[in-house]
Amino acid sequence: MKKNRATMADVAKVAGVSRQLVGFVFQGKSGFSPEAAARVHKAAQQLGYRPNLAAQSLRRDSTKIIGVVFDPRESSPLEIIQSLYKVAANLGYEVILSAIGDDRDEDEAIHELIGYRCEGLILIASRLAEAKLVGLATEIPFISIGRQLDVSIADSVSSDGAMGLGLVVDHLAVLGHSDIAYINATTMLDADSRLKGFVDSATRHKLNHRIIDVASDYTEESGAAAAQLLLASASLPTAVACSNDQQALGLISALRVAGISVPDQVSVVGYDDSRVARFSFMSLTTVHQDAVELAEIALNRLIERISKPTLAAQASLTSVSLVQRKSVVAKSL
Amino acid sequence: MKKNRATMADVAKVAGVSRQLVGFVFQGKSGFSPEAAARVHKAAQQLGYRPNLAAQSLRRDSTKIIGVVFDPRESSPLEIIQSLYKVAANLGYEVILSAIGDDRDEDEAIHELIGYRCEGLILIASRLAEAKLVGLATEIPFISIGRQLDVSIADSVSSDGAMGLGLVVDHLAVLGHSDIAYINATTMLDADSRLKGFVDSATRHKLNHRIIDVASDYTEESGAAAAQLLLASASLPTAVACSNDQQALGLISALRVAGISVPDQVSVVGYDDSRVARFSFMSLTTVHQDAVELAEIALNRLIERISKPTLAAQASLTSVSLVQRKSVVAKSL
DNA sequence: CTAAAATACTAGCACGTGCTAGTATTTTCT
DNA sequence: AGAAAATACTAGCACGTGCTAGTATTTTAG
């Protein structure tokens, strides 16, 4: 038997107080003297005591745990996870991650989190069928990040893709580009709003524009495929807007392999402002979404829903901004 | 109070049996009739019962939980996580992930996992100071993946970097390359063994070789920096070996921006066989490491150590192989 | 100076499950 | 046919903590 890790009782014994007092000290409640608290802290330190989170979760009225489902194969969720930890800690919640992958689907990841009695779930870039989401909503409060849901299903938060692509097209128009393209990753989540933002804005500016539809598991590959389509067309556009940064990486790489210079011959814009965009060989002008803002809205909304389950669902959009780097230049005459 | 989730007692009531029998059925133990089991399963289904993992962990002699610390900002850990889930499930263990990030250091991630009373930890690509690792070893069994440790500290598993770069240089030599370079990411974990493998093998083949030292937070950036150094040198090597695939991406991209063709003018080899290597515009010849093998060795070793804490530590190396794609061609005469 | 109130604690049950020890009932053995 | 053994269950304690309800001791109020 190796139950050697210290418990509250061990700490209490060493500190010469009752077990309950140790609990009060660790919960930061009132009702103890500073001297006693000091003795408790010293004893805890000495024994290497850590509260048993399983026991806390079991005993508490609310477990104070939020479950997060994510796909490590995609890059955008990863930036959000960091923000979720930070924001959750401020709100007094623990976060438990559950990854999906080739051998582990979302159902399995969700069931594990329910096993830990999470009070609510955050699904990042979920591809779960709508019917399953509706069923899940009857089981546990959740919110979707990066996939906008109909308000009849559940809460969701996304960056404002329509506005983001509006900013992109505005920028291109100001720089004199009048023949532009949008690379539409058809299987990407929230693809529709980004596409709509592009089309609406291009139409408003009366720009000559085309849509290149591509579908691929690897997003970078979709960019490369789009590059081939563009190269095979009668003439290249002077600027290309992409669905996301990874796609832009594939597009730019494939164009350069073909001897096309970016940005001299073709300007390229991304979306997400992920780490890819900051590479020196990319220096990608892109739409920035604030991961902290996304995490804050998601968690606050989720916690609100946990306490008021009857709340009407809403689809929130976070603000976006254009980060100008060097992948876009004014149209050469 | 919202303690509405079903417990074993609820299931037992509906099935018309004792709570203990429900436990037996879910643990797959013997000692119950098929009819009773069927009633239990039906009741559980109907109530949407899921075992409370916190309660299990609390009550069990061993929690059957393995904690995994990883950094979502790096890409190689992510492929391993998927394998860990799979292998752990086969061995009857749960996995809890704990991410580190800008606002969350390894200490914090580890303490959370200890809070869940993990029986052991897996540190992926850990950068914890040796002194801290030594201290940690007295607290809890752990194994390091992707960072080789001195056996006086703790167990570790890495891919065999020396052998991997041996394979790379052999391959280049066979193809007639006699002027080769290695891009050495000095701050990368396990950099030394890869460097040594390159130097030893190049020396053995009597090849003209040079080492380009680069240091960077973003690995891709180190490749781009190396490209600038190569371009500034008197002559380009005919082949370049990189410390990892992401670095190769940066190197190739920067070379192409400068008008150098890969592989026609310079062949490039990566390391890791990550998803980057499979992009069509990369088609990177690279050293493959088997994530499943890594996960299996790590978990088996860790579980062995959990049951026998006095076991001597060892530094394991997994097998590697060369995946030939299109970024390497024979030296043109 | 006594009563009330605040302070500084302690007692004990409960959370949902695993585990050891029981108790009927049926089956097998000689 | 009677005893032993296997089968199919049930009882009850325990894990480490949170929470409600206490009990001394000190401080404040009138």
Side-chain angles (χ1 to χ4, degrees), chain B residues 167-180 205 207 238-240 263 266-269 285 322-333:
Chain B
L167 294 177
V168 168
V169 175
D170 288 350
H171 182 58
L172 295 178
V174 165
L175 291 177
H177 291 278
S178 54
D179 183 8
I180 63 178
H205 284 290
L207 300 182
T238 63
V240 180
V266 180
S267 290
V268 177
V269 191
T285 291
L322 191 73
V323 181
Q324 296 183 30
R325 295 200 180 87
K326 296 178 184 163
S327 66
V328 174
V329 293
K331 183 192 172 185
S332 51
L333 300 176

PDB file of all heavy atoms in Angstrom, chain B residues 167-180 205 207 238-240 263 266-269 285 322-333:
ATOM      1  N   LEU B 167      21.602   7.643 -40.426  1.00  0.00           N
ATOM      2  CA  LEU B 167      20.847   7.215 -41.612  1.00  0.00           C
ATOM      3  C   LEU B 167      20.820   8.313 -42.671  1.00  0.00           C
ATOM      4  O   LEU B 167      20.964   8.062 -43.869  1.00  0.00           O
ATOM      5  CB  LEU B 167      19.401   6.858 -41.230  1.00  0.00           C
ATOM      6  CG  LEU B 167      19.187   5.648 -40.334  1.00  0.00           C
ATOM      7  CD1 LEU B 167      17.708   5.488 -39.991  1.00  0.00           C
ATOM      8  CD2 LEU B 167      19.706   4.387 -41.024  1.00  0.00           C
ATOM      9  N   VAL B 168      20.617   9.543 -42.186  1.00  0.00           N
ATOM     10  CA  VAL B 168      20.547  10.684 -43.099  1.00  0.00           C
ATOM     11  C   VAL B 168      21.848  10.832 -43.883  1.00  0.00           C
ATOM     12  O   VAL B 168      21.850  10.941 -45.119  1.00  0.00           O
ATOM     13  CB  VAL B 168      20.249  11.980 -42.313  1.00  0.00           C
ATOM     14  CG1 VAL B 168      20.454  13.204 -43.190  1.00  0.00           C
ATOM     15  CG2 VAL B 168      18.828  11.945 -41.752  1.00  0.00           C
ATOM     16  N   VAL B 169      22.950  10.832 -43.153  1.00  0.00           N
ATOM     17  CA  VAL B 169      24.242  11.048 -43.811  1.00  0.00           C
ATOM     18  C   VAL B 169      24.572   9.882 -44.749  1.00  0.00           C
ATOM     19  O   VAL B 169      25.076  10.090 -45.863  1.00  0.00           O
ATOM     20  CB  VAL B 169      25.354  11.260 -42.761  1.00  0.00           C
ATOM     21  CG1 VAL B 169      26.716  11.352 -43.435  1.00  0.00           C
ATOM     22  CG2 VAL B 169      25.077  12.528 -41.959  1.00  0.00           C
ATOM     23  N   ASP B 170      24.265   8.657 -44.323  1.00  0.00           N
ATOM     24  CA  ASP B 170      24.463   7.497 -45.202  1.00  0.00           C
ATOM     25  C   ASP B 170      23.746   7.721 -46.531  1.00  0.00           C
ATOM     26  O   ASP B 170      24.299   7.514 -47.609  1.00  0.00           O
ATOM     27  CB  ASP B 170      23.900   6.217 -44.556  1.00  0.00           C
ATOM     28  CG  ASP B 170      24.762   5.742 -43.387  1.00  0.00           C
ATOM     29  OD1 ASP B 170      25.872   6.285 -43.210  1.00  0.00           O
ATOM     30  OD2 ASP B 170      24.310   4.843 -42.662  1.00  0.00           O
ATOM     31  N   HIS B 171      22.507   8.132 -46.402  1.00  0.00           N
ATOM     32  CA  HIS B 171      21.677   8.341 -47.592  1.00  0.00           C
ATOM     33  C   HIS B 171      22.287   9.398 -48.513  1.00  0.00           C
ATOM     34  O   HIS B 171      22.395   9.217 -49.727  1.00  0.00           O
ATOM     35  CB  HIS B 171      20.279   8.763 -47.131  1.00  0.00           C
ATOM     36  CG  HIS B 171      19.296   8.971 -48.233  1.00  0.00           C
ATOM     37  ND1 HIS B 171      18.967   7.984 -49.141  1.00  0.00           N
ATOM     38  CD2 HIS B 171      18.557  10.055 -48.581  1.00  0.00           C
ATOM     39  CE1 HIS B 171      18.069   8.460 -50.000  1.00  0.00           C
ATOM     40  NE2 HIS B 171      17.803   9.712 -49.673  1.00  0.00           N
ATOM     41  N   LEU B 172      22.711  10.495 -47.917  1.00  0.00           N
ATOM     42  CA  LEU B 172      23.294  11.575 -48.710  1.00  0.00           C
ATOM     43  C   LEU B 172      24.596  11.124 -49.367  1.00  0.00           C
ATOM     44  O   LEU B 172      24.868  11.451 -50.531  1.00  0.00           O
ATOM     45  CB  LEU B 172      23.542  12.803 -47.825  1.00  0.00           C
ATOM     46  CG  LEU B 172      22.286  13.469 -47.237  1.00  0.00           C
ATOM     47  CD1 LEU B 172      22.664  14.636 -46.337  1.00  0.00           C
ATOM     48  CD2 LEU B 172      21.338  13.931 -48.348  1.00  0.00           C
ATOM     49  N   ALA B 173      25.369  10.355 -48.633  1.00  0.00           N
ATOM     50  CA  ALA B 173      26.653   9.879 -49.168  1.00  0.00           C
ATOM     51  C   ALA B 173      26.422   8.977 -50.377  1.00  0.00           C
ATOM     52  O   ALA B 173      27.088   9.106 -51.408  1.00  0.00           O
ATOM     53  CB  ALA B 173      27.421   9.136 -48.078  1.00  0.00           C
ATOM     54  N   VAL B 174      25.454   8.085 -50.223  1.00  0.00           N
ATOM     55  CA  VAL B 174      25.148   7.164 -51.321  1.00  0.00           C
ATOM     56  C   VAL B 174      24.747   7.934 -52.583  1.00  0.00           C
ATOM     57  O   VAL B 174      25.057   7.531 -53.703  1.00  0.00           O
ATOM     58  CB  VAL B 174      24.019   6.190 -50.902  1.00  0.00           C
ATOM     59  CG1 VAL B 174      23.438   5.472 -52.116  1.00  0.00           C
ATOM     60  CG2 VAL B 174      24.535   5.194 -49.890  1.00  0.00           C
ATOM     61  N   LEU B 175      24.055   9.053 -52.378  1.00  0.00           N
ATOM     62  CA  LEU B 175      23.596   9.838 -53.525  1.00  0.00           C
ATOM     63  C   LEU B 175      24.678  10.773 -54.066  1.00  0.00           C
ATOM     64  O   LEU B 175      24.408  11.605 -54.936  1.00  0.00           O
ATOM     65  CB  LEU B 175      22.352  10.646 -53.146  1.00  0.00           C
ATOM     66  CG  LEU B 175      21.097   9.802 -52.905  1.00  0.00           C
ATOM     67  CD1 LEU B 175      19.937  10.684 -52.468  1.00  0.00           C
ATOM     68  CD2 LEU B 175      20.715   9.035 -54.168  1.00  0.00           C
ATOM     69  N   GLY B 176      25.875  10.660 -53.511  1.00  0.00           N
ATOM     70  CA  GLY B 176      26.990  11.397 -54.084  1.00  0.00           C
ATOM     71  C   GLY B 176      27.244  12.779 -53.512  1.00  0.00           C
ATOM     72  O   GLY B 176      28.097  13.517 -53.995  1.00  0.00           O
ATOM     73  N   HIS B 177      26.516  13.128 -52.449  1.00  0.00           N
ATOM     74  CA  HIS B 177      26.754  14.437 -51.843  1.00  0.00           C
ATOM     75  C   HIS B 177      28.052  14.402 -51.034  1.00  0.00           C
ATOM     76  O   HIS B 177      28.251  13.511 -50.216  1.00  0.00           O
ATOM     77  CB  HIS B 177      25.587  14.822 -50.928  1.00  0.00           C
ATOM     78  CG  HIS B 177      24.327  15.099 -51.687  1.00  0.00           C
ATOM     79  ND1 HIS B 177      24.061  16.303 -52.289  1.00  0.00           N
ATOM     80  CD2 HIS B 177      23.276  14.301 -51.984  1.00  0.00           C
ATOM     81  CE1 HIS B 177      22.887  16.256 -52.908  1.00  0.00           C
ATOM     82  NE2 HIS B 177      22.389  15.036 -52.741  1.00  0.00           N
ATOM     83  N   SER B 178      28.917  15.368 -51.285  1.00  0.00           N
ATOM     84  CA  SER B 178      30.179  15.365 -50.549  1.00  0.00           C
ATOM     85  C   SER B 178      30.413  16.689 -49.833  1.00  0.00           C
ATOM     86  O   SER B 178      31.429  16.881 -49.191  1.00  0.00           O
ATOM     87  CB  SER B 178      31.337  15.064 -51.501  1.00  0.00           C
ATOM     88  OG  SER B 178      31.307  15.975 -52.574  1.00  0.00           O
ATOM     89  N   ASP B 179      29.483  17.602 -49.963  1.00  0.00           N
ATOM     90  CA  ASP B 179      29.607  18.887 -49.261  1.00  0.00           C
ATOM     91  C   ASP B 179      28.272  19.135 -48.560  1.00  0.00           C
ATOM     92  O   ASP B 179      27.310  19.602 -49.174  1.00  0.00           O
ATOM     93  CB  ASP B 179      29.906  20.005 -50.266  1.00  0.00           C
ATOM     94  CG  ASP B 179      30.104  21.353 -49.566  1.00  0.00           C
ATOM     95  OD1 ASP B 179      30.150  21.368 -48.308  1.00  0.00           O
ATOM     96  OD2 ASP B 179      30.184  22.378 -50.277  1.00  0.00           O
ATOM     97  N   ILE B 180      28.206  18.779 -47.297  1.00  0.00           N
ATOM     98  CA  ILE B 180      26.918  18.806 -46.606  1.00  0.00           C
ATOM     99  C   ILE B 180      26.983  19.663 -45.353  1.00  0.00           C
ATOM    100  O   ILE B 180      28.056  19.943 -44.824  1.00  0.00           O
ATOM    101  CB  ILE B 180      26.448  17.380 -46.238  1.00  0.00           C
ATOM    102  CG1 ILE B 180      27.436  16.730 -45.250  1.00  0.00           C
ATOM    103  CG2 ILE B 180      26.330  16.507 -47.491  1.00  0.00           C
ATOM    104  CD1 ILE B 180      27.011  15.344 -44.800  1.00  0.00           C
ATOM    105  N   HIS B 205      32.343   8.859 -43.420  1.00  0.00           N
ATOM    106  CA  HIS B 205      32.235   8.847 -44.881  1.00  0.00           C
ATOM    107  C   HIS B 205      33.247   9.792 -45.533  1.00  0.00           C
ATOM    108  O   HIS B 205      33.256   9.934 -46.752  1.00  0.00           O
ATOM    109  CB  HIS B 205      30.821   9.271 -45.309  1.00  0.00           C
ATOM    110  CG  HIS B 205      29.781   8.215 -45.119  1.00  0.00           C
ATOM    111  ND1 HIS B 205      29.721   7.076 -45.887  1.00  0.00           N
ATOM    112  CD2 HIS B 205      28.764   8.101 -44.233  1.00  0.00           C
ATOM    113  CE1 HIS B 205      28.702   6.324 -45.502  1.00  0.00           C
ATOM    114  NE2 HIS B 205      28.102   6.930 -44.479  1.00  0.00           N
ATOM    115  N   LEU B 207      33.245  13.002 -45.603  1.00  0.00           N
ATOM    116  CA  LEU B 207      32.547  14.052 -46.342  1.00  0.00           C
ATOM    117  C   LEU B 207      32.960  15.416 -45.832  1.00  0.00           C
ATOM    118  O   LEU B 207      33.247  15.597 -44.643  1.00  0.00           O
ATOM    119  CB  LEU B 207      31.028  13.898 -46.182  1.00  0.00           C
ATOM    120  CG  LEU B 207      30.414  12.583 -46.663  1.00  0.00           C
ATOM    121  CD1 LEU B 207      28.906  12.607 -46.477  1.00  0.00           C
ATOM    122  CD2 LEU B 207      30.767  12.328 -48.121  1.00  0.00           C
ATOM    123  N   THR B 238      25.672  21.003 -51.060  1.00  0.00           N
ATOM    124  CA  THR B 238      24.711  20.384 -51.984  1.00  0.00           C
ATOM    125  C   THR B 238      23.568  19.727 -51.228  1.00  0.00           C
ATOM    126  O   THR B 238      22.539  19.407 -51.811  1.00  0.00           O
ATOM    127  CB  THR B 238      25.399  19.329 -52.860  1.00  0.00           C
ATOM    128  OG1 THR B 238      25.908  18.281 -52.014  1.00  0.00           O
ATOM    129  CG2 THR B 238      26.543  19.964 -53.640  1.00  0.00           C
ATOM    130  N   ALA B 239      23.758  19.522 -49.937  1.00  0.00           N
ATOM    131  CA  ALA B 239      22.681  18.937 -49.137  1.00  0.00           C
ATOM    132  C   ALA B 239      22.750  19.472 -47.715  1.00  0.00           C
ATOM    133  O   ALA B 239      23.826  19.722 -47.185  1.00  0.00           O
ATOM    134  CB  ALA B 239      22.781  17.413 -49.127  1.00  0.00           C
ATOM    135  N   VAL B 240      21.578  19.631 -47.109  1.00  0.00           N
ATOM    136  CA  VAL B 240      21.499  20.159 -45.749  1.00  0.00           C
ATOM    137  C   VAL B 240      20.628  19.239 -44.898  1.00  0.00           C
ATOM    138  O   VAL B 240      19.519  18.873 -45.301  1.00  0.00           O
ATOM    139  CB  VAL B 240      20.888  21.576 -45.735  1.00  0.00           C
ATOM    140  CG1 VAL B 240      20.805  22.112 -44.317  1.00  0.00           C
ATOM    141  CG2 VAL B 240      21.692  22.514 -46.619  1.00  0.00           C
ATOM    142  N   PRO B 263      14.545  20.578 -54.514  1.00  0.00           N
ATOM    143  CA  PRO B 263      15.854  20.001 -54.228  1.00  0.00           C
ATOM    144  C   PRO B 263      16.882  20.179 -55.340  1.00  0.00           C
ATOM    145  O   PRO B 263      18.020  19.718 -55.178  1.00  0.00           O
ATOM    146  CB  PRO B 263      15.508  18.518 -54.094  1.00  0.00           C
ATOM    147  CG  PRO B 263      14.395  18.320 -55.074  1.00  0.00           C
ATOM    148  CD  PRO B 263      13.622  19.598 -55.092  1.00  0.00           C
ATOM    149  N   VAL B 266      19.763  22.456 -53.880  1.00  0.00           N
ATOM    150  CA  VAL B 266      20.136  21.980 -52.546  1.00  0.00           C
ATOM    151  C   VAL B 266      19.125  20.933 -52.082  1.00  0.00           C
ATOM    152  O   VAL B 266      17.915  21.178 -52.123  1.00  0.00           O
ATOM    153  CB  VAL B 266      20.158  23.129 -51.515  1.00  0.00           C
ATOM    154  CG1 VAL B 266      20.546  22.601 -50.131  1.00  0.00           C
ATOM    155  CG2 VAL B 266      21.099  24.238 -51.945  1.00  0.00           C
ATOM    156  N   SER B 267      19.598  19.796 -51.657  1.00  0.00           N
ATOM    157  CA  SER B 267      18.729  18.785 -51.057  1.00  0.00           C
ATOM    158  C   SER B 267      18.578  19.090 -49.573  1.00  0.00           C
ATOM    159  O   SER B 267      19.503  19.606 -48.944  1.00  0.00           O
ATOM    160  CB  SER B 267      19.331  17.388 -51.227  1.00  0.00           C
ATOM    161  OG  SER B 267      19.283  16.981 -52.578  1.00  0.00           O
ATOM    162  N   VAL B 268      17.406  18.781 -49.021  1.00  0.00           N
ATOM    163  CA  VAL B 268      17.167  19.056 -47.603  1.00  0.00           C
ATOM    164  C   VAL B 268      16.532  17.830 -46.940  1.00  0.00           C
ATOM    165  O   VAL B 268      15.644  17.199 -47.516  1.00  0.00           O
ATOM    166  CB  VAL B 268      16.250  20.279 -47.415  1.00  0.00           C
ATOM    167  CG1 VAL B 268      15.947  20.515 -45.936  1.00  0.00           C
ATOM    168  CG2 VAL B 268      16.877  21.527 -48.027  1.00  0.00           C
ATOM    169  N   VAL B 269      16.987  17.524 -45.730  1.00  0.00           N
ATOM    170  CA  VAL B 269      16.430  16.410 -44.959  1.00  0.00           C
ATOM    171  C   VAL B 269      15.933  16.934 -43.621  1.00  0.00           C
ATOM    172  O   VAL B 269      16.566  17.806 -43.024  1.00  0.00           O
ATOM    173  CB  VAL B 269      17.490  15.319 -44.696  1.00  0.00           C
ATOM    174  CG1 VAL B 269      16.825  14.063 -44.140  1.00  0.00           C
ATOM    175  CG2 VAL B 269      18.267  15.006 -45.943  1.00  0.00           C
ATOM    176  N   THR B 285      12.035  14.439 -47.245  1.00  0.00           N
ATOM    177  CA  THR B 285      12.720  13.240 -46.783  1.00  0.00           C
ATOM    178  C   THR B 285      13.115  13.491 -45.331  1.00  0.00           C
ATOM    179  O   THR B 285      13.683  14.535 -45.009  1.00  0.00           O
ATOM    180  CB  THR B 285      13.961  12.962 -47.643  1.00  0.00           C
ATOM    181  OG1 THR B 285      13.535  12.571 -48.939  1.00  0.00           O
ATOM    182  CG2 THR B 285      14.812  11.863 -47.029  1.00  0.00           C
ATOM    183  N   LEU B 322      14.366   6.023 -42.119  1.00  0.00           N
ATOM    184  CA  LEU B 322      14.397   7.153 -43.037  1.00  0.00           C
ATOM    185  C   LEU B 322      13.224   7.056 -44.001  1.00  0.00           C
ATOM    186  O   LEU B 322      13.018   6.025 -44.634  1.00  0.00           O
ATOM    187  CB  LEU B 322      15.719   7.160 -43.814  1.00  0.00           C
ATOM    188  CG  LEU B 322      15.984   8.430 -44.619  1.00  0.00           C
ATOM    189  CD1 LEU B 322      16.336   9.582 -43.698  1.00  0.00           C
ATOM    190  CD2 LEU B 322      17.109   8.206 -45.618  1.00  0.00           C
ATOM    191  N   VAL B 323      12.435   8.130 -44.068  1.00  0.00           N
ATOM    192  CA  VAL B 323      11.322   8.165 -45.021  1.00  0.00           C
ATOM    193  C   VAL B 323      11.763   8.996 -46.217  1.00  0.00           C
ATOM    194  O   VAL B 323      12.039  10.187 -46.079  1.00  0.00           O
ATOM    195  CB  VAL B 323      10.077   8.819 -44.384  1.00  0.00           C
ATOM    196  CG1 VAL B 323       8.927   8.825 -45.379  1.00  0.00           C
ATOM    197  CG2 VAL B 323       9.692   8.087 -43.121  1.00  0.00           C
ATOM    198  N   GLN B 324      11.847   8.355 -47.366  1.00  0.00           N
ATOM    199  CA  GLN B 324      12.346   9.066 -48.539  1.00  0.00           C
ATOM    200  C   GLN B 324      11.206   9.698 -49.309  1.00  0.00           C
ATOM    201  O   GLN B 324      10.289   9.038 -49.737  1.00  0.00           O
ATOM    202  CB  GLN B 324      13.127   8.112 -49.449  1.00  0.00           C
ATOM    203  CG  GLN B 324      14.368   7.572 -48.758  1.00  0.00           C
ATOM    204  CD  GLN B 324      15.200   6.686 -49.670  1.00  0.00           C
ATOM    205  OE1 GLN B 324      15.207   6.872 -50.886  1.00  0.00           O
ATOM    206  NE2 GLN B 324      15.900   5.725 -49.089  1.00  0.00           N
ATOM    207  N   ARG B 325      11.296  11.026 -49.456  1.00  0.00           N
ATOM    208  CA  ARG B 325      10.325  11.718 -50.288  1.00  0.00           C
ATOM    209  C   ARG B 325      11.095  12.478 -51.365  1.00  0.00           C
ATOM    210  O   ARG B 325      12.059  11.948 -51.906  1.00  0.00           O
ATOM    211  CB  ARG B 325       9.439  12.628 -49.423  1.00  0.00           C
ATOM    212  CG  ARG B 325       8.581  11.835 -48.440  1.00  0.00           C
ATOM    213  CD  ARG B 325       7.382  12.644 -47.935  1.00  0.00           C
ATOM    214  NE  ARG B 325       6.587  11.850 -46.993  1.00  0.00           N
ATOM    215  CZ  ARG B 325       6.814  11.773 -45.672  1.00  0.00           C
ATOM    216  NH1 ARG B 325       7.809  12.467 -45.143  1.00  0.00           N
ATOM    217  NH2 ARG B 325       6.063  11.023 -44.897  1.00  0.00           N
ATOM    218  N   LYS B 326      10.687  13.678 -51.690  1.00  0.00           N
ATOM    219  CA  LYS B 326      11.272  14.301 -52.882  1.00  0.00           C
ATOM    220  C   LYS B 326      12.191  15.488 -52.609  1.00  0.00           C
ATOM    221  O   LYS B 326      12.556  16.203 -53.532  1.00  0.00           O
ATOM    222  CB  LYS B 326      10.149  14.726 -53.833  1.00  0.00           C
ATOM    223  CG  LYS B 326       9.355  13.550 -54.355  1.00  0.00           C
ATOM    224  CD  LYS B 326       8.210  14.021 -55.248  1.00  0.00           C
ATOM    225  CE  LYS B 326       7.363  12.833 -55.693  1.00  0.00           C
ATOM    226  NZ  LYS B 326       6.044  13.264 -56.196  1.00  0.00           N
ATOM    227  N   SER B 327      12.524  15.716 -51.327  1.00  0.00           N
ATOM    228  CA  SER B 327      13.364  16.881 -51.052  1.00  0.00           C
ATOM    229  C   SER B 327      14.851  16.566 -51.192  1.00  0.00           C
ATOM    230  O   SER B 327      15.686  17.425 -50.950  1.00  0.00           O
ATOM    231  CB  SER B 327      13.072  17.404 -49.647  1.00  0.00           C
ATOM    232  OG  SER B 327      13.466  16.457 -48.689  1.00  0.00           O
ATOM    233  N   VAL B 328      15.156  15.336 -51.548  1.00  0.00           N
ATOM    234  CA  VAL B 328      16.553  14.937 -51.735  1.00  0.00           C
ATOM    235  C   VAL B 328      16.703  14.309 -53.113  1.00  0.00           C
ATOM    236  O   VAL B 328      15.913  13.446 -53.491  1.00  0.00           O
ATOM    237  CB  VAL B 328      16.981  13.913 -50.667  1.00  0.00           C
ATOM    238  CG1 VAL B 328      18.392  13.399 -50.950  1.00  0.00           C
ATOM    239  CG2 VAL B 328      16.921  14.530 -49.280  1.00  0.00           C
ATOM    240  N   VAL B 329      17.711  14.769 -53.853  1.00  0.00           N
ATOM    241  CA  VAL B 329      18.018  14.147 -55.147  1.00  0.00           C
ATOM    242  C   VAL B 329      19.518  13.859 -55.192  1.00  0.00           C
ATOM    243  O   VAL B 329      20.287  14.400 -54.383  1.00  0.00           O
ATOM    244  CB  VAL B 329      17.637  15.072 -56.337  1.00  0.00           C
ATOM    245  CG1 VAL B 329      16.123  15.233 -56.421  1.00  0.00           C
ATOM    246  CG2 VAL B 329      18.322  16.411 -56.205  1.00  0.00           C
ATOM    247  N   ALA B 330      19.904  13.014 -56.102  1.00  0.00           N
ATOM    248  CA  ALA B 330      21.326  12.707 -56.250  1.00  0.00           C
ATOM    249  C   ALA B 330      22.067  13.970 -56.659  1.00  0.00           C
ATOM    250  O   ALA B 330      21.508  14.846 -57.340  1.00  0.00           O
ATOM    251  CB  ALA B 330      21.520  11.610 -57.299  1.00  0.00           C
ATOM    252  N   LYS B 331      23.329  14.051 -56.242  1.00  0.00           N
ATOM    253  CA  LYS B 331      24.101  15.248 -56.577  1.00  0.00           C
ATOM    254  C   LYS B 331      24.307  15.319 -58.086  1.00  0.00           C
ATOM    255  O   LYS B 331      24.718  14.341 -58.716  1.00  0.00           O
ATOM    256  CB  LYS B 331      25.461  15.191 -55.875  1.00  0.00           C
ATOM    257  CG  LYS B 331      26.270  16.449 -56.121  1.00  0.00           C
ATOM    258  CD  LYS B 331      27.700  16.284 -55.691  1.00  0.00           C
ATOM    259  CE  LYS B 331      28.511  17.502 -56.154  1.00  0.00           C
ATOM    260  NZ  LYS B 331      29.938  17.307 -55.846  1.00  0.00           N
ATOM    261  N   SER B 332      24.005  16.490 -58.636  1.00  0.00           N
ATOM    262  CA  SER B 332      24.211  16.663 -60.075  1.00  0.00           C
ATOM    263  C   SER B 332      25.706  16.832 -60.331  1.00  0.00           C
ATOM    264  O   SER B 332      26.417  17.442 -59.531  1.00  0.00           O
ATOM    265  CB  SER B 332      23.448  17.892 -60.556  1.00  0.00           C
ATOM    266  OG  SER B 332      23.772  18.994 -59.740  1.00  0.00           O
ATOM    267  N   LEU B 333      26.168  16.277 -61.431  1.00  0.00           N
ATOM    268  CA  LEU B 333      27.615  16.320 -61.697  1.00  0.00           C
ATOM    269  C   LEU B 333      28.035  17.590 -62.425  1.00  0.00           C
ATOM    270  O   LEU B 333      27.253  18.384 -62.873  1.00  0.00           O
ATOM    271  CB  LEU B 333      27.998  15.092 -62.536  1.00  0.00           C
ATOM    272  CG  LEU B 333      27.680  13.777 -61.825  1.00  0.00           C
ATOM    273  CD1 LEU B 333      27.990  12.582 -62.724  1.00  0.00           C
ATOM    274  CD2 LEU B 333      28.464  13.690 -60.523  1.00  0.00           C
TER     275      LEU B 333
END
